[in-house]
Amino acid sequence: MIAQANRIVGTIVLPGDKSISHRAAMIAAIAQGTTRIRNYSPSEDCSATLRCLSALGVRIEAGGADVIIHGAGRAALRSPAGPLDCGNSGTTMRLLAGILAGQPFECVLTGDDSLSRRPMQRIVEPLEAMGAAIEANGGRPPLTIRGRSQLAAISYNIPVASAQVKSCVLLAGLFADGIVTVSEPAVTRDHTERMLQWFGGSLTAGQDHISISNESELVGREIHVPGDISAAAFFMAAAACLEGSDIDLPDVGINPTRSAILDVLGEIGADVTIGNRREINCEPVADVRVRGGLRQRDERLVIADDRTTALIDELPVLAVLGTQLSAGIEVRDAAELRVKESDRIAGLVTNLRSMGGDVTEIEDGFRVERSRLRGTRVDSFGDHRMAMALAVAALIADGETEIDRAECVDISFPGFFDVLESVVS
Ligand code: S3P
């Protein structure tokens, strides 16, 4: 049960970035030598990645926030004893598929009910073009991948803006007989490119494409994973909505492909300060402070096109925030939200309406008018970002809110509710 709050105040220690953690572990597993990953994400998703890598014969020492991975090179993975369970994690399945396409053995990738409904044809197509044989269940998991140690080099225009698809093809490119080039319809997060560079990979980025070759050896490195800006977004949005809030978020990743949320919050009147900028393992990091208060605007906040891609994981909490804006919010070009851990468009519409929100569902997005929310019982649908967005709604709403299946926050942010309680006042 979460009650209405006046403000949130304090310092928030964030989990390590989930996207960066997955990539660090997978690339370390096929690099030569030892990698220590500090502040590895404690999320269930990132644990699934480690479990899969262990099952592929990678020696991993995990204890506390540090993970040590003993990589033995690209050819050292071993055929697993059984199917690899990716749990709820689309990133685990799609990125690992790229690496498995380049292995001379057969492998089955499975996932939970949510992951089993998610589209995989988007990775099957390029991996088959490179020479892997893949069976999927009508384009969905489970995936049976029959890889080969040398794949064909391709040039691929990715039809959907997805960092997971881009990363899958780039990782498969490490096993190709030439240069693999990808281009994407909108710029997506570039953590794979940065992490490969950190490990010594040969990548070149042009205006509208990225190329990779398997020329250089990947070598184990020290890595520090910055705090997850998509986890921070829930607290930043709550702080923005609750006047008098003041939160410090030390050590947050502010990669420009992820940090659009900071610009949006600034645009609507929150006081966002970014200090102590630095770069760690090719990733920009900073200490962020957000002080609350929204500036009332005559114009609706519209998120569309490339901005939608840049904010893809922040859209659930922005929908909640839209209820506090005088002219509301409209999100378009966000059809991808329908194939996330849940159909986030339908789920947001259902939940916000039941809290008294004035919401219109559109095919590829939603419109939210300014509305007064009231606490009630809502459903996360087992989707971690839905649960955390609803927790922010609960802080704004009159009365108390109960979130069903709220434990799913563990998928990206174990301890989320404790952190929230510690800053509410
Ligand atoms: C992710 C990419 C995005 C994002 C997901 C993590 C990644 O998914 O929504 O939470 O780590 O590459 P898509 O690639 O499907 O857009």
Side-chain angles (χ1 to χ4, degrees):
M1 206 68 103
I2 303 178
Q4 188 173 35
N6 293 319
R7 65 185 77 83
I8 60 169
V9 176
T11 299
I12 291 161
V13 178
L14 296 164
D17 188 276
K18 186 158 83 76
S19 290
I20 296 175
S21 296
H22 284 297
R23 287 152 171 89
M26 288 189 207
I27 296 170
I30 50 170
Q32 197 62 253
T34 300
T35 293
R36 178 188 287 271
I37 310 172
R38 295 184 201 278
N39 201 34
Y40 188 79
S41 162
S43 64
E44 282 180 0
D45 272 10
C46 290
S47 301
T49 286
L50 293 184
R51 268 200 317 277
C52 292
L53 293 173
S54 287
L56 287 161
V58 180
R59 194 156 71 79
I60 299 175
E61 296 171 61
D66 285 8
V67 171
I68 300 171
I69 300 195
H70 300 277
R74 278 172 253 217
L77 299 185
R78 294 289 160 258
S79 171
L84 299 174
D85 182 2
C86 302
N88 188 252
S89 176
T91 311
T92 305
M93 184 171 284
R94 295 192 178 120
L95 270 60
L96 205 52
I99 293 175
L100 293 172
Q103 305 301 319
F105 51 77
E106 181 177 305
C107 221
V108 179
L109 292 174
T110 63
D112 68 6
D113 289 348
S114 154
L115 184 53
S116 301
R117 284 192 294 270
R118 298 183 66 186
M120 293 296 149
Q121 196 56 34
R122 52 183 64 189
I123 57 162
V124 170
E125 219 171 87
L127 294 179
E128 285 195 330
M130 295 176 81
I134 305 185
E135 267 167 46
N137 177 18
R140 287 162 215 286
L143 298 180
T144 303
I145 302 180
R146 271 182 289 280
R148 38 203 280 185
S149 36
Q150 191 159 71
L151 296 168
I154 58 166
S155 198
Y156 190 66
N157 292 328
I158 306 171
V160 46
S162 163
Q164 294 177 356
V165 175
K166 173 179 64 175
S167 302
C168 169
V169 180
L170 290 175
L171 291 170
L174 294 170
F175 304 90
D177 58 7
I179 293 174
V180 167
T181 299
V182 291
S183 61
E184 49 184 355
V187 175
T188 62
R189 62 191 68 190
D190 63 359
H191 303 302
T192 303
E193 296 91 306
R194 289 171 185 263
M195 191 60 72
L196 281 167
Q197 243 143 17
W198 181 243
F199 277 86
S202 314
L203 257 100
T204 51
Q207 188 71 11
D208 58 354
H209 68 271
I210 303 141
S211 297
I212 186 162
S213 86
N214 65 10
E215 263 168 26
S216 42
E217 186 81 76
L218 302 172
V219 181
R221 305 273 328 241
E222 288 276 313
I223 289 167
H224 173 82
V225 180
D228 195 322
I229 193 168
S230 299
F234 299 100
F235 292 96
M236 298 193 296
C241 293
L242 299 169
E243 189 142 15
S245 292
D246 187 352
I247 55 164
D248 282 308
L249 302 136
D251 194 32
V252 192
I254 54 156
N255 179 315
T257 60
R258 296 281 301 284
S259 60
I261 184 69
L262 300 176
D263 305 330
V264 169
L265 293 177
E267 247 170 73
I268 58 177
D271 183 359
V272 179
T273 332
I274 306 173
N276 190 18
R277 289 175 188 264
R278 54 214 188 265
E279 191 168 290
I280 310 180
N281 35 263
C282 300
E283 287 284 352
V285 182
D287 299 338
V288 176
R289 179 177 180 191
V290 179
R291 277 168 286 184
L294 298 173
R295 189 184 316 118
Q296 287 316 329
R297 312 154 33 103
D298 298 334
E299 273 172 39
R300 199 190 287 287
L301 175 64
V302 176
I303 311 280
D305 301 322
D306 294 3
R307 228 155 62 126
T308 296
T309 304
L311 288 162
I312 194 73
D313 289 341
E314 285 66 68
L315 297 175
V317 79
L318 284 176
V320 171
L321 192 143
T323 64
Q324 307 303 298
L325 297 175
S326 44
I329 189 172
E330 182 171 312
V331 171
R332 296 195 304 259
D333 306 314
E336 276 295 299
L337 284 185
R338 296 211 182 263
V339 291
K340 293 291 179 190
E341 287 82 331
S342 69
D343 176 343
R344 288 183 176 158
I345 295 177
L348 282 166
V349 170
T350 304
N351 281 315
L352 286 178
R353 275 190 189 151
S354 70
M355 295 182 82
D358 179 354
V359 190
T360 308
E361 177 166 0
I362 48 184
E363 192 52 39
D364 63 348
F366 48 81
R367 205 162 32 246
V368 179
E369 307 294 344
R370 181 177 207 178
S371 0
R372 181 163 189 155
L373 298 181
R374 51 175 150 62
T376 184
R377 189 166 174 184
V378 287
D379 193 351
S380 69
F381 301 106
D383 180 337
H384 56 128
R385 295 201 203 280
M386 183 71 68
M388 292 186 278
L390 292 171
V392 175
L395 298 180
I396 302 166
D398 297 337
E400 293 192 324
T401 303
E402 192 177 349
I403 305 170
D404 283 350
R405 297 184 260 176
E407 66 287 350
C408 65
V409 297
D410 290 357
I411 288 164
S412 64
F413 195 161
F416 169 80
F417 290 106
D418 295 333
V419 177
L420 188 63
E421 210 181 296
S422 75
V423 291
V424 161
S425 71

